[in-house]
Each structure stands twice: as C-alpha cells, then as structure tokens.
Amino acid sequence: MHRREFLSTAANPDARHDYLVELHGEPAPGTRLILRYVPDRAVVTPDGVAAYLGALSDAAAATGPEALAIAVLDDLNNELIPRWVEITVERAMPVPQRVVIEDRQPGWDNPHFFARMRRV
C-alpha cells in the first residue's frame, strides 16, 4: 500500500466557506509535521492523517526536511486537492531547522482570510 492511500477523506461539510484546518504530528522521533489547509470538496480525516504519519516514518527518518515537505505536499495535492495548503517540517537536531512550503489552486485567493490567519 502506498503511503498516499492512508489519507482517507470525507466530504467537506460546507464547501461554501473558507476555513482553516490544522493538524500536527510526528512522522519520526524528532521530526514535527504541521499541516494547514483550506478544504475544497473534501477534508482529510484525523485517523487517516495518523495512519499516513505512520506510513511516512521511514521516509521521514531517511530524507531531509525539504524532501519530506515536498513529498507530503504532493501527496495532499493528489488525494485532498485543497484550495490552499501549507506544510511545515521542523527538526531540532543536529541544528534547529524549519521548512515551510505552500500551494494553492489556480485562481483561488482570499486576502481577508489570510489577513486573519495566525501564523504558527
């Protein structure tokens, strides 16, 4: 089973509104992953994210945070297709490092929403 298949989704309860979903987890010891997104037609289930993090553990331990952030972004864009998504990967060792990558659907923008969002 490919790790992407662990990302189970459910229908967005109200796709008319833009709202922020934020999930945190540790795919490997010492590696923190923060997923923030604005859903479109689907939302990812917390159980699916937990299973996905388990499937990511080998990749998280073997790759750098940049490669891990890009892999997670690609997986989410393929399975979830959010309006906007931001992936943050943080590692404390051997030196503190933080990688942030974002993407959005072409033509989607909500400047008032972004102005109200609190940055992590």
Side-chain angles (χ1 to χ4, degrees), residues 6-23 35-49 76 79-84 105:
F6 288 99
L7 286 169
S8 58
T9 61
N12 183 344
D14 192 344
R16 296 175 299 160
H17 300 286
D18 289 337
Y19 58 92
L20 180 67
V21 176
E22 186 170 320
L23 299 158
L35 160 63
R36 294 166 27 121
Y37 71 97
V38 175
D40 192 2
R41 294 184 179 151
V43 295
V44 69
T45 66
D47 289 344
V49 170
L76 286 166
E79 296 303 313
L80 187 60
I81 313 169
R83 292 177 184 163
W84 172 85
Q105 290 180 5

Side-chain angles (χ1 to χ4, degrees), residues 24-37:
H24 302 248
E26 287 191 17
T31 301
R32 181 172 181 226
L33 180 101
I34 303 166
L35 160 63
R36 294 166 27 121
Y37 71 97

Side-chain angles (χ1 to χ4, degrees), residues 18 83-84 102 104-115:
D18 289 337
R83 292 177 184 163
W84 172 85
E102 80 169 80
R104 69 183 73 200
Q105 290 180 5
W108 183 83
D109 194 20
N110 187 334
H112 298 293
F113 178 79
F114 284 118

Side-chain angles (χ1 to χ4, degrees), residues 56-100:
L56 266 181
S57 63
D58 290 340
T63 65
E66 298 88 351
L68 180 60
I70 291 167
V72 172
L73 179 70
D74 288 346
D75 290 348
L76 286 166
N77 275 338
N78 281 301
E79 296 303 313
L80 187 60
I81 313 169
R83 292 177 184 163
W84 172 85
V85 61
E86 178 186 81
I87 307 299
T88 302
V89 176
E90 298 175 331
R91 288 192 179 155
M93 300 297 279
V95 296
Q97 186 175 9
R98 184 172 194 243
V99 175
V100 181

